[in-house]
Amino acid sequence: MPLMRVDMIRGRSKAEIRQILDIAYQIASEEFHLLPRDRYQVVTQHEPEEMVIEDVGLGLPRSAKFLLFSLTSSPRAEADKERFYARLVQELSTHTDVAPSDIMINLVTNTKADWSFGNGEAQFLNGKL
């Protein structure tokens, strides 16, 4: 899976955070065709004054429920990215109290040589993955 970091304002329950992560993992698994147990997610909670998230003039209303998804991934097809963006927003807005305008997603690509999953090995390069 891509390394998925989720930044949010402090105040959600453990159950809410888990629900957000589970939804994001499910959508990423389907749209990026991930292997089982290919799950790397990190949540960082911030005080409200530590996040300034505006909308580049798009007129998007923001609230304290804002979520910033930052993914680092090997290259993905543009169609897969677009489906991931749309489905993640749809599922989160349907199953949580997060409005579509409160979800921002950023995906940065890298290569297989940029990953080590443990033991100081480049598993994509040495044939273990």
Side-chain angles (χ1 to χ4, degrees), residues 23-119:
I23 289 169
Y25 172 68
Q26 181 65 37
I27 302 304
S29 293
E30 293 168 7
E31 298 304 337
F32 296 148
H33 318 287
L34 304 179
L35 298 172
R37 293 181 41 89
D38 197 1
R39 187 172 183 171
Y40 304 93
Q41 296 172 299
V42 178
V43 170
T44 304
Q45 298 186 63
H46 303 270
E47 297 302 322
E49 66 276 5
E50 294 175 345
M51 290 184 73
V52 177
I53 306 295
E54 296 181 354
D55 65 2
V56 193
L58 296 173
L60 299 170
R62 304 293 197 193
S63 78
K65 297 292 184 178
F66 182 83
L67 296 172
L68 172 59
F69 289 85
S70 300
L71 287 76
T72 303
S73 173
S74 54
R76 305 289 173 176
E78 284 187 19
D80 292 345
K81 292 179 193 180
E82 288 185 289
R83 281 192 310 273
F84 172 74
Y85 301 153
R87 287 195 59 215
L88 180 60
V89 169
Q90 177 186 17
E91 292 298 314
L92 286 171
S93 64
T94 299
H95 299 289
T96 71
D97 62 352
V98 182
S101 61
D102 269 336
I103 301 168
M104 182 174 167
I105 307 163
N106 177 52
L107 198 148
V108 176
T109 59
N110 60 14
T111 69
K112 291 183 176 189
D114 297 315
W115 294 93
S116 171
F117 294 92
N119 297 328

